Amino acid sequence: SNEEKAATAAFFWWRILMQIIVNGELTIMQTVTLFEFLKRTGMLGKRFAVELNGKIVPKSKFDQTPLAEGDILEIIHAIGGG
């Protein structure tokens, strides 16, 4: 039935969404890697450091680091000056 199809679609849609905390704010997003998240948010190409659940993630590991429900992500922007 149409109701069953709608319920199934809603279930699968919910399964690909997750909640994470980014710089102290709750964010609901699709399941992605850290690299994909940073790309979607326009961070790539900028100077920053990333801490995931209390541990620094090296830039070389961004594409190998999946984000998961409940993760706590801190993005620290580098500020130049002299």
Side-chain angles (χ1 to χ4, degrees):
S1 75
N2 285 341
E3 288 177 2
E4 289 173 335
K5 288 179 185 176
T8 300
F11 172 77
F12 283 108
W13 176 249
W14 180 250
R15 296 280 299 154
I16 63 172
L17 292 179
M18 64 179 169
Q19 294 182 355
I20 65 171
I21 305 294
V22 180
N23 291 348
E25 294 186 19
L26 180 65
T27 302
I28 298 174
M29 56 183 288
Q30 289 182 332
T31 305
V32 294
T33 64
L34 179 55
F35 177 85
E36 291 166 331
F37 173 77
L38 294 169
K39 183 177 177 181
R40 289 180 188 178
T41 56
M43 289 298 302
L44 294 181
K46 298 180 181 179
R47 294 175 52 102
F48 60 92
V50 176
E51 184 180 281
L52 179 61
N53 298 323
K55 296 181 181 177
I56 296 291
V57 180
K59 192 177 244 183
S60 62
K61 300 287 185 190
F62 287 175
D63 64 338
Q64 303 164 28
T65 304
L67 297 177
E69 178 78 20
D71 278 346
I72 299 174
L73 189 63
E74 292 291 329
I75 301 173
I76 300 103
H77 297 270
I79 300 174

